[in-house]
Amino acid sequence: MSETILVTGGTGVLGRQVARRLLAPGREVRVLSRRTAPPGTPYAWRTGDLRTHQGIDSAVRGADVIVHCATTLGGRDVATTKALVDTARRHGMPHVVFISIVGIDRIPLPYYRAKLAAEEAVVASGLPSTILRATQFHDLVCRIVDIQRFLPAVLYPAGFRVQPVDAGEVAARLVELALGEPAGRGPDMGGPEVRDFADLARITLRARGRRRVVIPVPFPGATARAYRAGHHLTPNATGRVTFEEYLAAQAAIA
Ligand SMILES: NC(=O)c1ccc[n+]([C@@H]2O[C@H](COP(=O)([O-])OP(=O)(O)OC[C@H]3O[C@@H](n4cnc5c(N)ncnc54)[C@H](OP(=O)(O)O)[C@@H]3O)[C@@H](O)[C@H]2O)c1
């Protein structure tokens, strides 16, 4: 049976790996992005914006499955997710697969509150749905280090541990879920190891050939306490790719 799958956020770190893995003969893979289609794209490209709703109808119409990876990285994720599921309800009952984050119900970060409300919007829509919560991606650890490259040191919240997971492995799991039956919220997915952020920062700096000191900064408050308590970690360490293996793979393709 031919199938149409829409990937929102199909240009992002996660979504582009989901879209690539979905390509198969007889399947239409749509990518929703605010950008115009790059030349030679293998996808049925849909330019649109979940904030303004421009282009959303055309992206959603006829989709059997929607893998929702788009994020505004803020509170707007609630409205954008509602816009997506409301539009989907008008165009049939596609299976919505939503990527979320481990610990969003226990860490009072504003972005996490929005992710939780977005999860609730998916469930409340009545659409068949599947929700996967994952830990931080390896890429995010690198991004936190790289963004500080103009500072004389790398700062991080004291006592911060992470369980980074390979975005490619999360993408592969999302593809399995998208091709399967709606499953509600399944087991969380975490990386293979819980590591001190400071160690990963030093490893990243070494890989980049940069010399910087890594300095813990004491953060007060409930959010920092929740991170120190490890509410963003999971015993479901189903990811296999370690941080070092991820960096080595990045270096190999650079
Ligand atoms: N990063 C992590 O460590 C991590 C961990 C667990 C879960 N997650 C979740 O995984 C998902 C993907 O994260 P990521 O790191 O891959 O994100 P990302 O690289 O920042 O990509 C964000 C994507 O959202 C799209 N987007 C943003 N605003 C949009 C709008 N108004 N309308 C349509 N598309 C819009 C962007 O597309 P264009 O710019 O092309 O429009 C882009 O493809 C998010 O839901 C995030 O919460 C992330």
Side-chain angles (χ1 to χ4, degrees):
M1 190 185 77
S2 75
E3 204 177 15
T4 298
I5 304 187
L6 167 66
V7 183
T8 74
T11 56
V13 169
L14 177 67
R16 63 174 177 261
Q17 303 193 64
V18 172
R20 189 184 330 125
R21 284 171 167 77
L22 279 169
L23 285 173
R27 181 181 297 145
E28 178 173 306
V29 181
R30 292 181 187 167
V31 161
L32 172 68
S33 165
R34 290 165 296 178
R35 310 168 211 189
T36 51
T41 180
Y43 305 116
W45 200 270
R46 296 291 191 277
T47 299
D49 189 328
L50 287 164
R51 278 178 66 188
T52 62
H53 305 184
Q54 172 255 325
I56 303 309
D57 262 304
S58 137
V60 165
R61 193 181 308 119
D64 304 294
V65 181
I66 300 174
V67 186
H68 183 29
C69 298
T71 182
T72 62
L73 295 173
R76 293 194 179 96
D77 274 14
V78 187
T80 54
T81 300
K82 280 188 178 149
L84 182 71
V85 294
D86 286 350
T87 309
R89 278 162 53 91
R90 288 201 302 276
H91 290 292
M93 293 296 276
H95 173 195
V96 176
V97 179
F98 183 58
I99 178 69
S100 190
I101 308 173
V102 171
I104 53 169
D105 45 351
R106 302 187 71 191
I107 300 175
L109 196 66
Y111 179 49
Y112 285 9
R113 289 207 182 102
K115 290 294 292 188
L116 188 60
E119 278 189 5
E120 287 163 1
V122 170
V123 173
S125 71
L127 295 168
S129 65
T130 302
I131 295 173
L132 174 67
R133 289 185 183 176
T135 55
Q136 284 63 47
F137 304 156
H138 294 313
D139 310 65
L140 183 65
V141 174
C142 292
R143 265 196 267 172
I144 294 171
V145 174
D146 290 340
I147 210 165
Q148 302 187 58
R149 64 189 173 280
F150 299 115
L151 298 180
V154 173
L155 310 179
Y156 74 99
F160 187 40
R161 293 170 303 146
V162 272
Q163 187 181 357
V165 66
D166 187 72
E169 288 184 302
V170 177
R173 180 70 187 130
L174 283 177
V175 166
E176 259 173 32
L177 294 170
L179 300 180
E181 292 298 314
R185 195 184 136 208
D188 294 348
M189 178 170 187
E193 305 173 316
V194 176
R195 309 277 298 265
D196 284 339
F197 185 87
D199 289 342
L200 300 186
R202 288 191 194 97
I203 292 167
T204 306
L205 287 168
R206 249 197 323 275
R208 304 281 195 259
R210 282 202 301 269
R211 292 166 71 87
R212 295 282 190 285
V213 282
V214 177
I215 300 178
V217 179
F219 271 82
T223 297
R225 240 186 344 267
Y227 274 113
R228 279 197 299 274
H231 294 325
H232 60 306
L233 310 175
T234 172
N236 299 330
T238 41
R240 289 282 158 265
V241 178
T242 65
F243 188 70
E244 281 86 349
E245 287 166 348
Y246 159 80
L247 280 181
Q250 293 294 107
I253 54 174

